[in-house]
């Protein structure tokens, strides 16, 4: 079930992975920490489906009460 974040509807990661599993037969999904400090963390995720690569980054501030 999508969640409401600042007035917008977002699918959870679990929902996105479930849809991916239904849509494609084979894929790889990797993540790596790009940068980490006392104040933040940056993660890079790479999804490979056949010969196609999709990359995204996430930035989160530590001890924040908000989704960054």
């Amino acid at each position: 079930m999508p969640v409401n974040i600042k007035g917008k509807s977002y699918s959870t990661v679990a929902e996105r992975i479930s849809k991916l599993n239904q849509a494609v037969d084979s894929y790889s999904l990797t993540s790596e920490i790009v940068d980490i400090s006392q104040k933040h963390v940056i993660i890079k995720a790479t999804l490979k489906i056949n010969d196609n690569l999709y990359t995204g980054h996430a930035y989160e501030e530590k001890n924040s009460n908000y989704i960054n």
Side-chain angles (χ1 to χ4, degrees):
M1 172 177 221
V3 294
N4 185 310
I5 301 173
K6 298 181 182 180
K8 294 184 180 180
S9 181
Y10 289 92
S11 297
T12 64
V13 172
E15 291 171 322
R16 293 175 194 183
I17 295 296
S18 177
K19 288 178 183 179
L20 179 63
N21 284 324
Q22 293 171 13
V24 299
D25 293 328
S26 179
Y27 66 89
S28 68
L29 178 61
T30 59
S31 61
E32 64 181 282
I33 296 173
V34 175
D35 186 42
I36 189 167
S37 73
Q38 291 183 356
K39 295 183 180 182
H40 71 265
V41 62
I42 299 173
I43 303 289
K44 175 183 174 184
T46 303
L47 173 63
K48 182 177 180 183
I49 303 173
N50 300 319
D51 292 330
N52 301 308
L53 287 177
Y54 307 91
T55 303
H57 291 81
Y59 171 90
E60 292 293 327
E61 292 181 13
K62 293 182 181 179
N63 301 315
S64 175
N65 292 330
Y66 301 100
I67 296 172
N68 305 135

